[in-house]
Amino acid sequence: MRQRSTSRAKPARRAAFAAAAEAYVQRPAKRRATNKRIPTGRGKPRRAAVDPMDRKVRNRTILLLTVLALVNAYVFMWREGSSLLALGGPRPAVIAGDDDGPAGALGSLADPREDACTGDPVRILDGLHAQIQQTTTLTKDRTLRLALIDLGITAADIDALEAAIRPSFDLGLLTGSNAPVRLAADRHGGLQAIELELAEGRLIQACRKAGAYHVRSLQHPPLSDIAAIRIELGPDADLVKAVTDTGERPELADLIAEALAFDVDLTAEAEPADKIEVLVERRSLGQHFHRYGALVAIRFRGAAGRFTYYRHQPEGTRAAALYDPDGRPQRRALLRSPVRFHHVPPEARAMMPPSIEIVAGRSGALYRRPEGAPVVALADATVRLVEDTPADGHVVELELEGGVIARHAHLLRSVGDLRPGSKLRQGQLLGLTGHTGKTATDRVRLELRREHDGKTDMLDPLLGARTGDQRPATLGEPLADRALDRFKAELVPWQRALRHIGG
């Protein structure tokens, strides 16, 4: 191959190459980058020593970041109830609590007991105040079995009770006898003790002991008197403790709370130094106190207000009711709370007032209560719906007067054979608080709404707890004319008694 002669290149091109070569030779030497290593004189260079304090700070930082990463992974990926887990599908509702012990921060009520017999000579329900207390009557065509089913007692316990009573008494005689029935049950429907009042002073009683029912028949001459009792709540605002400190039985606290249920929620609104005076019937069998009868008069003076009521039965009516001193009825369209009074630990009182919770655009009142706390109908109602849902757990919906729907969510269970169309009286037990559905705490959530023309209007869930002119309307007509005169003449001795004990 023929080589190109450099002598034939153009002069300008040769000059450019020469200038570039000269500039390259004369440029300053480029500084070589170092890696901050210290030469040792031989072998490979080593890194500079790190200060021990710097190393400790670095290690602690790495450890803290690792712990935070693990906590976030648990909260957002593995923890039950997280939003990421929910993406995979709805959670099933938990329909039963833990039988091995209390559930939730507030513990539980009405724990099952193997021995409910306390040995009291006449009070079969003595010592069972923490159980679910219920009463009913064996009206026309109503058997004992049907009554106990309506009260939510398990079929196995009903069978065992009937088998225990049958050798000593014909159960057929109870049907339609109008015999009052009083019982205590645990939160799962287990019967602890029961009392059937066949006649004044004649009783059939049974209590659970070692898995069986011990039955006894009592017949003593009944005695009754009126007790005047003054109660002042202590620093812990514990009504049950204040009652027992006066020497009375815990069930008197239930009577007081029931009488004031339209005006003050004594579970959540009681305050230290609240004063209560009551006149109450005390019933005895022989020389032994048996139970409380009717509450004749009550006066409350406390942070929630001042209320005074007297028991009165107007002419031509079948039942007595409470009236204020001016003859106005005490009963209102709604109870103040859907949760019946029950004893709570003093340290948990700060959790009792309800709060408003908004879920998916629906507002509801959230009542934090121990598992097993009794939930009652706010008003006379018809059962509209009973269902289990993944989000709201066990739900009972009632239809109240005026088309108002009351929805109760997260119940442990409903009580009795509730089904659409069943009728409930105001204050009647419908279920127990729980933690079913998507909730980590024991509670009941109450929603109130009105449906019309295919639309749903959410109502204030604390409608029953309003004050002043916004309170729910009273039910019944005030006493007037001769009925009012008769009432005022009747209550004179009761007024004098309240003034005497109240100061």
Side-chain angles (χ1 to χ4, degrees):
M1 177 180 292
R2 189 175 61 182
Q3 295 182 350
R4 179 179 298 179
S5 175
T6 58
S7 61
R8 300 178 56 186
K10 294 182 178 181
R13 189 173 182 183
R14 288 198 302 269
F17 280 125
E22 183 178 357
Y24 181 82
V25 172
Q26 294 179 356
R27 71 175 183 171
K30 185 177 180 181
R31 185 178 180 181
R32 184 177 180 181
T34 61
N35 61 358
K36 297 182 180 180
R37 296 192 180 189
I38 301 174
T40 60
R42 58 182 178 178
K44 295 184 178 180
R46 61 178 177 83
R47 291 184 180 273
V50 180
D51 184 75
M53 184 60 68
D54 292 340
R55 181 185 292 111
K56 185 180 295 185
V57 172
R58 182 187 63 188
N59 292 342
R60 287 180 178 177
T61 302
I62 294 174
L63 178 61
L64 178 61
L65 292 175
T66 303
V67 171
L68 290 176
L70 292 175
V71 170
N72 283 314
Y74 167 74
V75 171
F76 292 105
M77 298 185 66
W78 297 315
R79 182 172 64 90
E80 184 180 3
S82 68
S83 57
L84 290 181
L85 283 178
L87 294 176
R91 284 177 55 204
V94 179
I95 305 305
D98 183 5
D99 292 343
D100 296 330
L106 291 172
S108 58
L109 293 177
D111 296 329
R113 298 175 55 166
E114 283 299 316
D115 190 352
C117 299
T118 61
D120 189 281
V122 298
R123 286 171 49 81
I124 200 70
L125 302 179
D126 187 54
L128 300 178
H129 180 255
Q131 299 292 311
I132 306 299
Q133 307 281 332
Q134 296 192 76
T135 61
T136 190
T137 304
L138 301 182
T139 53
K140 183 180 179 181
D141 299 330
R142 196 176 191 208
T143 65
L144 177 61
R145 172 173 285 272
L146 290 177
L148 295 180
I149 289 174
D150 288 342
L151 298 180
I153 304 302
T154 64
D157 282 2
I158 296 176
D159 292 340
L161 176 68
E162 289 185 336
I165 294 178
R166 193 173 288 114
S168 58
F169 187 83
D170 184 0
L171 291 173
L173 299 177
L174 292 174
T175 303
S177 62
N178 288 318
V181 178
R182 293 176 284 272
L183 62 82
D186 63 47
R187 66 179 180 272
H188 302 300
L191 181 65
Q192 299 296 317
I194 187 171
E195 177 177 271
L196 308 170
E197 189 171 351
L198 306 180
E200 284 287 336
R202 187 183 177 193
L203 307 172
I204 295 178
Q205 300 176 333
C207 57
R208 181 194 294 271
K209 186 173 184 179
Y213 289 103
H214 291 236
V215 178
R216 67 187 184 190
S217 297
L218 301 179
Q219 186 163 358
H220 292 281
L223 301 173
S224 64
D225 62 352
I226 301 296
I229 305 164
R230 182 181 185 273
I231 301 163
E232 182 170 347
L233 302 191
D236 54 5
D238 188 337
L239 177 59
V240 173
K241 183 178 184 300
V243 166
T244 55
D245 284 347
T246 66
E248 299 298 326
R249 307 304 175 102
E251 54 262 37
L252 179 59
D254 297 333
L255 278 179
I256 292 171
E258 182 181 359
L260 298 172
F262 298 99
D263 303 297
V264 55
D265 176 7
L266 288 174
T267 302
E269 298 176 307
E271 295 288 345
D274 285 354
K275 298 177 177 60
I276 305 170
E277 294 91 41
V278 295
L279 303 177
V280 63
E281 182 184 10
R282 291 172 53 99
R283 296 186 175 182
S284 301
L285 294 179
Q287 297 180 349
H288 299 279
F289 171 73
H290 177 219
R291 63 183 180 88
Y292 294 102
L295 193 148
V296 178
I298 182 169
R299 179 169 64 177
F300 175 88
R301 294 174 291 167
R306 302 171 69 95
F307 313 101
T308 304
Y309 298 108
Y310 300 92
R311 184 178 180 85
H312 176 68
Q313 183 173 349
E315 292 181 348
T317 60
R318 301 179 59 183
L322 293 175
Y323 294 83
D324 71 10
D326 295 321
R328 293 186 293 261
Q330 174 248 14
R331 187 184 174 199
R332 293 184 177 271
L334 295 175
L335 291 171
R336 194 163 181 83
S337 170
V339 187
R340 194 169 71 192
F341 174 80
H342 57 280
H343 186 250
V344 295
E347 60 271 16
R349 294 198 58 80
M351 301 177 66
M352 295 301 103
S355 59
I356 298 297
E357 179 187 63
I358 299 178
V359 177
R362 307 189 331 262
S363 61
L366 187 65
Y367 294 83
R368 298 174 183 86
R369 293 293 187 271
E371 182 184 63
V375 180
V376 298
L378 287 171
D380 294 341
T382 302
V383 177
R384 188 174 186 268
L385 177 71
V386 180
E387 66 176 356
D388 295 314
T389 69
D392 292 338
H394 192 67
V395 174
V396 174
E397 285 192 0
L398 305 181
E399 183 170 354
L400 315 182
E401 187 176 354
V404 175
I405 307 300
R407 178 181 176 87
H408 309 78
H410 306 298
L411 299 175
L412 172 68
R413 66 182 182 96
S414 51
V415 172
D417 188 21
L418 294 189
R419 60 185 66 188
S422 301
K423 301 292 184 182
L424 293 178
R425 303 181 311 278
Q426 186 178 51
Q428 183 175 343
L429 188 65
L430 65 89
L432 307 176
T433 58
H435 52 272
T436 58
K438 290 186 177 180
T439 175
T441 60
D442 300 319
R443 62 181 186 170
V444 60
R445 173 185 162 92
L446 173 68
E447 295 177 12
L448 297 179
R449 69 179 190 270
R450 182 179 283 111
E451 299 177 351
H452 60 93
D453 299 332
K455 298 180 180 179
T456 299
D457 294 331
M458 299 303 298
L459 305 178
D460 179 6
L462 297 177
L463 195 60
R466 288 181 175 178
T467 58
D469 296 336
Q470 295 184 328
R471 296 186 67 189
T474 56
L475 299 180
E477 295 295 327
L479 302 175
D481 302 330
R482 292 181 58 188
L484 181 60
D485 293 339
R486 175 174 172 263
F487 167 70
K488 289 191 172 184
E490 184 180 287
L491 61 82
V492 168
W494 308 135
Q495 290 177 320
R496 187 180 299 116
L498 287 182
R499 285 196 298 267
H500 177 71
I501 62 173

